[in-house]
Structure formats: structure tokens, C-alpha cells
Amino acid sequence: MKRICLFAGYHPHGEVAEYAVYYIKALAALADVYYMADCKMSPSELEKLAPYVKGAWGERHGKYDFGSWQEIVRKIGWEKLAEYDECIFCNDSVFAPLFPLEPVFAQAEKDSSLDAWGLNAFENDYFGSFFFVLKRRAVLSDAFKTFLMSVEKQPDVGDVIRKYEKNLPAVLRGGGFSYRVFTAVPQSVFDDWKDYVRRGFPVLKIQIFTRKRLYADRQWLPGWRAFVRAHSGYPVDLIEKHLRRIGVDPDGFDSFGFRLKSLWWAFRRWRRKGFRIHFCRGNNIVVLFGITLFNNTAEKPAYPVQPFTK
């Protein structure tokens, strides 16, 4: 299987971080990697990737990940993509790989009818743009070409998600393509991060550590180093270095104050999952002793979801 990887990057200081190099090195063992950062990068920064990529650029275009993939295609041409059986689309919003990626691709290859697949399913009918794969017939289709080349700068990342990430499955369906999501658990890749890691999910979202307003919904963050070391082979120092560089104290999650808050947050999570009765404006939920008796707000994806295993 011949693969190409379009890797979208970004760094607030215009750097190629060590964790990104680590990830791209692993991807280079599976595919020919092309890198585009949505920020200006000096030649010396891009040189860090030279041993692992076929091409690397850094320029501010303001179109986020889909724009970076679009710009790579503009540089290398659709004819280059036609040389490959599969195209990997991914970005540097994750620490990866926590586990070898080869078994993931082997699992996907078992279903030869698939035209596309992703790592993670969100609550709606779309999969996370941090990692998905399209077969040649889908990549070179008029439907996908039109979609990718129509990407424009949006007011904010929320508009990018709504207009492009959430719309991708509809584009695939409209083109008559089949797709599947290989996900660890039908929960949140952010909030239930430990469940994902325990089951061999190969990536860890950086926003687990950076989105402060959502800390209350996370699984236990204190002791995160020991957990990552115990359940994966990922170098924890890469996480520490990046967090410090972007202004997040990795030691803060083990502080007394954060632990105290986490106890309260853990109780609130347990209470919501264990005992919850909500009737309001048509959104009705009944959960008793951890068993969901009724929930008319749960959205079910239209695509097949297959449990991910190591």
C-alpha cells in the first residue's frame, strides 16, 4: 500500500516542536509526508523535518488545517496524489503516536470496501479532522476536489469546524463513498481521555491540558505523567516541553489546589453519570445508578463505528 500524508501544522511561536517531529517521523515510516504550517516558519525550523518529509512549508494563510491541506495540493498537484493508494490527512493538535500506527492501518485494510476512515467519531455525523484517511478514488473524485479547493479563510475556528470538518462526511456520502470510524469508546476524546489510552487509542489531544474551561469535565488529570508512562510508550518529556513552551505548567495538574478542585469535579461527573433526571424543552434524560433509562438527546452517527483495540 503506497501512502501520502498531508500534515497540517501550527505553532504560536513559529516553531516545529519536538513532539511534532516525533509524530512525523513515525508517519514517515508509513507514508511520504508533506508538511504545511499555518504560520510563518524560518528555513532553520523547517530543516528539523528534512529527514522525514518530501516537502515542508510555513506561511500564514489563515485557513487552518483544511487550508494547509489545500495549499499542499496546490504546491504538489493532484497528479502527485494520483500516484498513491491512500492519503492521510492529519495535524499537530495531538501527542502521537502513543502506540504503533501500523495495527490501525492493518485493521482498516481488513475492509476493502472502505473509501475513507477516521480515528474518532464525535457526537454528530462527522469524524475528527486530526486524523482521517481517504482512498485514491475518494481523493481524486470531483466531489472531494471541489470541497477541498473551495476552502476559504473563516472568521474563527468554529466556522471552520461547521463549514468543513462537519461537512466532510456529507461530501463523501454525496460522492457515493463508504466510510467508517475506528474509535476506542463512544465518548469524548477529550473528557474520557484515559478510557481511550487504556484501549490503545494512538493519539492524545493537546487540548486535554490546555482548555481550562473544560477541566471540570475531564477524567482525573493529577498524576497524568504516571498514567501516560504506565499505559503507553510515549516520551512524557515531549508533552512537558511543549506545554511549558505554550505557557501551560505541566506540574500545575499535580498541585494541591488543582487536586482539590478535581475532587469536586470528579464528584460532579459521578453525579451526572450516576444520577440525573432532566426534563426541559424536549430534552429529557433519566439516569439512575449509572444506567440510562431514557435519553432523547443522544445523537447516533450515520456511519459504522467499530471499536478500536490494540
Side-chain angles (χ1 to χ4, degrees):
M1 184 74 69
K2 188 177 181 182
R3 303 185 184 94
I4 186 172
C5 173
L6 308 188
F7 193 100
Y10 172 78
H11 195 285
H13 304 299
E15 301 169 359
V16 177
E18 288 186 45
Y19 82 90
V21 176
Y22 182 87
Y23 188 14
I24 290 171
K25 181 180 179 181
L27 289 167
L30 294 167
D32 290 341
V33 183
Y34 290 84
Y35 175 93
M36 167 64 76
D38 186 9
C39 59
K40 187 171 180 58
M41 286 192 173
S42 67
S44 61
E45 285 297 318
L46 294 174
E47 187 63 25
K48 297 176 182 178
L49 299 173
Y52 315 114
V53 301
K54 299 296 183 180
W57 305 271
E59 54 191 54
R60 183 61 172 163
H61 53 71
K63 294 179 289 185
Y64 292 87
D65 297 339
F66 284 90
S68 287
W69 299 326
Q70 178 194 71
E71 293 299 325
I72 294 175
V73 173
R74 282 177 173 167
K75 289 183 180 295
I76 67 176
W78 290 101
E79 296 80 7
K80 173 58 69 175
L81 269 69
E83 298 175 8
Y84 297 87
D85 302 305
E86 292 182 340
C87 183
I88 305 168
F89 296 82
C90 57
N91 63 34
D92 61 359
S93 69
V94 298
F95 296 117
L98 273 64
F99 307 96
L101 293 170
E102 288 82 357
V104 181
F105 284 87
Q107 185 175 347
E109 288 172 10
K110 291 178 181 178
D111 189 345
S112 60
S113 66
L114 285 180
D115 298 303
W117 57 273
L119 273 184
N120 177 247
F122 290 109
E123 70 276 11
N124 296 309
D125 188 15
Y126 77 105
F127 41 82
S129 63
F130 58 85
F131 194 104
F132 64 93
V133 176
L134 301 185
K135 298 288 182 66
R136 182 196 289 119
R137 54 185 174 270
V139 170
L140 299 180
S141 67
D142 290 339
F144 183 74
K145 284 183 178 180
T146 301
F147 169 75
L148 188 63
M149 302 318 289
S150 69
V151 171
E152 299 176 337
K153 187 175 181 179
Q154 300 298 317
D156 58 49
V157 67
D159 292 293
V160 173
I161 293 172
R162 285 186 290 272
K163 191 167 184 177
Y164 301 121
E165 186 176 34
K166 288 189 175 183
N167 196 35
L168 178 58
V171 171
L172 293 173
R173 289 196 304 274
F177 300 113
S178 63
Y179 58 98
R180 179 183 293 277
V181 174
F182 297 89
T183 187
V185 285
Q187 298 173 339
S188 168
V189 71
F190 301 101
D191 302 341
D192 305 293
W193 66 279
K194 286 187 175 181
D195 292 339
Y196 278 86
V197 175
R198 287 191 186 101
R199 301 190 189 195
F201 199 66
V203 306
L204 185 66
K205 290 291 288 183
I206 294 175
Q207 287 188 347
I208 290 169
F209 303 96
T210 59
R211 294 182 69 180
K212 292 184 178 180
R213 69 181 184 86
L214 298 180
Y215 283 164
D217 294 319
R218 299 282 183 270
Q219 289 181 334
W220 191 252
L221 276 170
W224 67 268
R225 288 183 182 86
F227 181 86
V228 173
R229 289 193 183 103
H231 294 86
S232 80
Y234 192 81
V236 171
D237 64 299
L238 297 184
I239 301 177
E240 295 173 331
K241 288 178 181 178
H242 180 63
L243 292 181
R244 289 194 174 95
R245 185 67 180 112
I246 62 175
V248 176
D249 180 12
D251 299 321
F253 302 110
D254 292 313
S255 68
F256 176 78
F258 192 88
R259 285 176 178 271
L260 196 61
K261 290 179 182 178
S262 295
L263 287 173
W264 170 242
W265 293 334
F267 171 74
R268 288 174 56 193
R269 285 195 298 273
W270 172 83
R271 187 180 61 183
R272 285 199 300 270
K273 292 182 178 181
F275 302 92
R276 185 179 181 188
I277 299 177
H278 176 85
F279 297 102
C280 182
R281 298 179 182 178
N283 296 326
N284 304 319
I285 304 171
V286 179
V287 180
L288 296 177
F289 302 104
I291 300 174
T292 301
L293 301 179
F294 184 81
N295 184 359
N296 69 344
T297 68
E299 299 182 61
K300 297 181 179 180
Y303 47 71
V305 177
Q306 178 173 318
F308 183 89
T309 56
K310 292 182 182 178

